[in-house]
Amino acid sequence: MSHRRAVALMVLATLLWSIAGVVARQLDNAASFEITFWRSLFAALALSVALTLMRGPGMWRGLAKARWPVWFSGLCWSVMATAFMLAISLTTVANVLISMAIAPLMTALFARIFLQHRLPARTWAAIGVAGVGIAGMFWKDAGTGLSLTGSIVAMAVPLAAALNFTMLQHVGQGQGEPANGPRHDMLPAVLIGTILSAAFTLPLAYPLQASAHDLQLLALLGSVQLALPCLMVVRLSRQLAAPEIALLGLLEVLFGISWAWLGAGETPHASTLIGGALVLAALITNEALALLGRGAQRARNGHARE
């Protein structure tokens, strides 16, 4: 796969992720935990079919024998899937997406804490600026009547994502691998997460009130908005560098807010735009400087070999 095609597919993945808010706003009767239940259930069904086709029936035997890192990652995916849709039902799409955008910086912080990775000064500065943006947005929410609870629930998504990506990086570096036997297969963790999410939210979803129209939209969310782009990104992680994925992933914020604005009439509040601008500026500056630094290092290494 060429780099250009990989970038195009990553943009497509963020576009698919971004439709969650505007689609959820078109539902008739389903709300809150019921939305989360149906979305996770349809995602689990789609992933079951896709992973069985990709890995064969042996995938299920491997899943039963999966070690704790796979299940820990699955629990993180479950929190992400559950908290995201709950937050969408409690606050604006813009607030949820901007809260989620801080995930790369939280991942860097957790990598420092748990993996002893050194953080450059620019990353510490980006964490500080993004924190100010998020705090300002939350403060304005409390004063303008927007759901502060929804914004707090949304923060569970980047927190779980940071823990998940830190674990994936830990396993990817060969740490925590079994001394004997095959390496951890982390892809089925996404399936575990959707199954857990559906199981957790089913008791809270009663009485089920989704109409046939709702079920069609929720099937779209589960299969096209959640399962498909997750599989795409796992594949693209072999082709694109992590900073590139982080930068391109920020398009979900722009796409998602635009969809909600145009398709659901959700005009972003000024405080959301200001806070979001601070978060995005911090992320883009941090990741762009990281890419430039890596490019310069590769150039120096090339000259040294010559």
Side-chain angles (χ1 to χ4, degrees), residues 260-271:
W261 194 347
L262 297 174
E266 282 194 10
T267 303
H269 193 272
S271 63

Side-chain angles (χ1 to χ4, degrees), residues 62-269:
L63 188 62
K65 299 177 182 178
R67 295 176 175 86
W68 74 268
V70 179
W71 287 94
F72 180 85
S73 178
L75 181 61
C76 290
W77 281 112
S78 174
V79 172
M80 293 160 63
T82 304
F84 175 75
M85 291 311 298
L86 288 179
I88 286 288
S89 68
L90 293 171
T91 189
T92 65
V93 173
N95 280 13
V96 174
L97 293 177
I98 291 171
S99 298
M100 288 170 52
I102 203 172
L105 295 180
M106 294 185 72
T107 302
L109 182 60
F110 284 177
R112 175 68 183 91
I113 296 172
F114 297 113
L115 303 180
Q116 286 75 53
H117 289 185
R118 294 185 61 185
L119 294 184
R122 58 175 169 74
T123 301
W124 286 112
I127 290 172
V129 172
V132 170
I134 293 291
M137 188 178 70
F138 283 5
W139 178 265
K140 289 294 184 180
D141 282 357
T144 57
L146 290 176
S147 174
L148 182 61
T149 302
S151 297
I152 293 174
V153 170
M155 287 300 296
V157 179
L159 176 62
L163 289 171
N164 192 20
F165 295 152
T166 302
M167 173 57 72
L168 292 174
Q169 189 172 22
H170 178 70
V171 171
Q173 293 174 345
Q175 303 175 30
E177 291 287 354
N180 297 307
R183 293 168 60 89
H184 295 304
D185 184 4
M186 303 301 290
L187 187 57
V190 185
L191 172 59
I192 292 174
T194 56
I195 293 174
L196 291 177
S197 177
F200 291 157
T201 55
L202 176 58
L204 301 171
Y206 282 105
L208 299 177
Q209 298 177 337
S211 64
H213 173 259
D214 288 348
L215 291 177
Q216 291 175 4
L217 293 179
L218 291 165
L220 175 70
L221 287 178
S223 57
V224 177
Q225 185 272 329
L226 182 58
L228 177 58
C230 284
L231 292 177
M232 290 172 63
V233 170
V234 170
R235 170 63 182 87
L236 293 173
S237 64
R238 306 175 190 172
Q239 188 74 23
L240 299 176
E244 282 187 287
I245 292 178
L247 273 176
L248 292 169
L250 294 178
L251 290 173
E252 182 187 0
V253 179
L254 302 179
F255 289 151
I257 293 175
S258 299
W259 286 130
W261 194 347
L262 297 174
E266 282 194 10
T267 303
H269 193 272

